[in-house]
Amino acid sequence: MKLTTMPSEFQEALPILERIKAAGYEAYFVGGSVRDSLLGRPIHDVDIATSSYPHETKQLFARTVDIGIEHGTVLVLENNHEYEITTFRTEDVYVDYRRPSQVAFIRSLEEDLKRRDFTVNAFALASDGTVIDKFSGIADLKAKKLRAVGKAQERFEEDALRIMRGFRFVATLDFDIEASTYQAMVSHAPLLAKISVERSFIEFDKLLLAKAWTKGLKQLLKACAHHYLPGLEQAKEACLLMIDQLGPDFCFQNDVQAWGALILYLKMAEPRTFLKAWKTSNEFQNAVLQMVALYQLRTKRALSKADLYHYGKEIAQLVENLRYAQGLSTDFRAIDQLYQALTIYDKHAIVIKGGDLIQTFGIQPGPKLGHILKQIEEKIVDGDLANTKEAILNFVKKELANE
Ligand code: ATP
Ligand code: MG
């Protein structure tokens, strides 16, 4: 098969292929970008595979970064784009069902394509537009089938992350899993316990954010893969309820909302521990926990100006959007209005600082000063105190007189 028109992302990258070929090596576009272009989906990251070894690739380009040189990957910076150029390789030494500890560089494209996970991810696109399809990936694309390259059992044994990737591709591509591939995913799911949590997180996170997330998650649950994922061992019923309530057309707006919803449906007593078990960043944990907290507040009452001040508009909108999907009452206008009515968005915007109070009133630094500053902040947020020096000093004067 030959592409008649190459998407612009490939056209822009063609000079890279040509430069490698002019030096006597082979080079192709590979991976998700070829799959997505055949599906007419938007392309991100154009990846290149080549017969040149990393040190040979580096000699061909002025600006390169060794991002994964031991796995054969060189990053090339060229006309404001970044391209990952990876040497054809096999993965021959697997330790403990994880990623290979060693890779062997080779000069054969076919061997390189064989080590790829699914047939629809194992295309190579030549510079003249020819699609190299050694494993009937085009037929699988047409049939919307996800099929492992080669013997599924062996492939999942080599790297169990491919099982998670499988569910993730069901969700992103809205494909079904071919029967023997699915059987192997089920039988090898226990190996997921050996996969690094960070790698599983990336795939599970992409699954949740995908358009067909309900399909991907249902398949994952049916295969009992959740038994081997942190904190999700008992999650089947709760996840099915979430799928049922939110419905097939709902898409999570971002991963803060997705993981927040998961925590809410699972009724997690210790959500921080759950997010830590997935080795997520503190920043992510804080955002998710804020979303969960605001959701819980919102079930009890309408939002206030102080809520918008403390949680921010974005979190409030995520909460409201989740409520909308659940068929609960919503008030998006109130969020805009409350947010706009705020006179400060940050305590640094308060015109009086602690130092001013120490100077003017001789208050000593300590809990009392902290308490007064907190009161000032709250009153300004609620709209009960103007953010002017005069008003704030007057307020403090009264407070001190009342003591
Ligand atoms: P996306 O569109 O999300 O980037 P992708 O298919 O490009 O999806 P990547 O993780 O970017 O996925 O990997 C690029 C390619 O590398 C894949 O298409 C596949 O051919 C191969 N690949 C990646 N991870 C694995 C793996 N664990 N086992 C086998 N092949 C893999
Ligand atoms: Mg990719």
Side-chain angles (χ1 to χ4, degrees):
M1 182 189 171
K2 206 161 173 173
L3 284 188
T4 41
T5 47
M6 281 229 198
S8 60
E9 291 85 348
F10 289 135
Q11 283 180 29
E12 279 168 23
L14 272 179
I16 309 244
L17 290 198
E18 297 305 345
R19 181 134 13 125
I20 303 174
K21 285 169 61 187
Y25 306 104
E26 288 179 52
Y28 302 89
F29 299 123
V30 288
S33 58
V34 183
R35 174 200 68 221
D36 290 340
S37 77
L38 291 171
L39 285 169
R41 296 163 60 100
I43 292 173
H44 55 105
D45 352 303
V46 169
D47 293 328
I48 294 168
T50 177
S51 62
S52 61
Y53 287 179
H55 69 276
E56 294 166 336
T57 309
K58 282 170 70 173
Q59 280 171 3
L60 301 174
F61 298 94
R63 295 170 65 212
T64 66
V65 185
D66 292 358
I67 53 162
I69 202 128
E70 66 286 3
H71 296 290
T73 304
V74 174
L75 188 74
V76 168
L77 310 168
E78 198 78 12
N79 11 311
N80 291 325
H81 287 291
E82 294 183 348
Y83 298 102
E84 283 189 15
I85 305 188
T86 305
T87 302
F88 296 155
R89 63 184 206 214
T90 57
E91 299 177 325
D92 49 6
V93 183
Y94 286 84
V95 178
D96 217 11
Y97 310 105
R98 290 168 187 245
R99 246 201 298 218
S101 58
Q102 229 178 310
V103 300
F105 299 141
I106 46 170
R107 301 280 188 187
S108 147
L109 170 69
E110 183 158 356
E111 288 301 311
D112 179 86
L113 296 178
K114 265 191 205 163
R115 60 125 183 135
R116 293 177 183 271
D117 48 6
F118 298 100
T119 62
V120 296
N121 288 344
F123 299 116
L125 174 62
S127 55
D128 68 353
T130 305
V131 178
I132 297 152
D133 173 21
K134 301 278 183 198
F135 311 102
S136 306
I138 290 175
D140 288 334
L141 274 188
K142 284 197 181 130
K144 292 177 153 250
K145 279 265 179 293
L146 198 66
R147 182 194 310 270
V149 172
K151 291 204 177 94
Q153 309 243 358
E154 285 172 15
R155 308 316 312 287
F156 297 137
E157 216 162 282
E158 287 165 358
D159 182 2
L161 184 76
R162 291 170 187 157
I163 301 168
M164 283 302 281
R165 287 174 59 84
F167 297 121
R168 188 261 277 199
F169 287 117
V170 167
T172 52
L173 304 175
D174 198 358
F175 276 23
D176 292 311
I177 309 171
E178 174 274 325
S180 67
T181 300
Y182 180 73
Q183 276 316 312
M185 284 165 87
V186 175
S187 60
H188 288 65
L191 295 180
L192 283 174
K194 299 184 182 272
I195 291 297
S196 88
V197 175
E198 291 92 335
R199 292 179 81 207
S200 294
F201 176 85
I202 293 172
E203 300 303 331
F204 193 52
D205 191 68
K206 284 187 180 175
L207 184 159
L208 291 175
L209 292 187
K211 199 154 171 258
W213 69 276
T214 59
K215 188 164 171 172
L217 187 53
K218 271 188 203 164
Q219 293 283 316
L220 184 154
L221 295 167
K222 201 171 119 202
C224 291
H226 61 290
H227 289 174
Y228 312 98
L229 298 174
L232 297 181
E233 298 83 354
Q234 315 285 332
K236 189 165 182 178
E237 293 309 313
C239 285
L240 288 176
L241 180 68
M242 173 165 89
I243 288 167
D244 195 44
Q245 277 198 1
L246 299 180
D249 297 330
F250 172 78
C251 290
F252 290 108
Q253 296 196 316
N254 61 22
D255 53 2
V256 168
Q257 190 189 42
W259 287 78
L262 200 57
I263 285 169
L264 288 163
Y265 276 97
L266 282 158
K267 299 193 169 60
M268 291 235 158
E270 296 191 47
R272 170 88 64 186
T273 311
F274 171 65
L275 294 172
K276 273 194 178 148
W278 280 92
K279 302 213 173 144
T280 52
S281 69
N282 281 332
E283 194 191 348
F284 181 69
Q285 290 169 20
N286 292 339
V288 174
L289 295 181
Q290 282 210 324
M291 192 240 142
V292 170
L294 190 63
Y295 180 94
Q296 284 164 337
L297 271 179
R298 179 71 177 90
T299 56
K300 295 182 202 126
R301 58 165 174 75
L303 296 182
S304 67
K305 274 205 262 184
D307 295 330
L308 267 297
Y309 176 76
H310 290 295
Y311 293 92
K313 192 171 170 177
E314 200 194 335
I315 296 267
Q317 282 169 336
L318 293 177
V319 165
E320 216 61 4
N321 175 261
L322 182 62
R323 285 178 60 86
Y324 180 76
Q326 291 173 314
L328 299 171
S329 66
T330 56
D331 194 348
F332 287 96
R333 260 187 58 204
I335 293 176
D336 284 335
Q337 286 169 348
L338 290 168
Y339 191 75
Q340 266 169 24
L342 285 174
T343 53
I344 57 168
Y345 292 93
D346 187 288
K347 69 175 170 199
H348 300 295
I350 300 173
V351 295
I352 290 275
K353 309 276 174 258
D356 300 323
L357 299 186
I358 294 171
Q359 248 183 13
T360 315
F361 299 106
I363 309 172
Q364 292 306 303
K368 183 173 161 188
L369 180 63
H371 177 70
I372 294 180
L373 289 170
K374 193 94 215 136
Q375 266 185 303
I376 293 171
E377 186 184 0
E378 278 172 16
K379 293 225 170 280
I380 294 176
V381 169
D382 290 342
D384 298 338
L385 181 62
N387 185 21
T388 63
K389 283 197 171 150
E390 197 191 354
I392 298 171
L393 292 178
N394 258 331
F395 166 73
V396 177
K397 205 158 140 190
K398 272 191 210 147
E399 284 295 299
L400 293 174
N402 284 342
E403 275 184 354

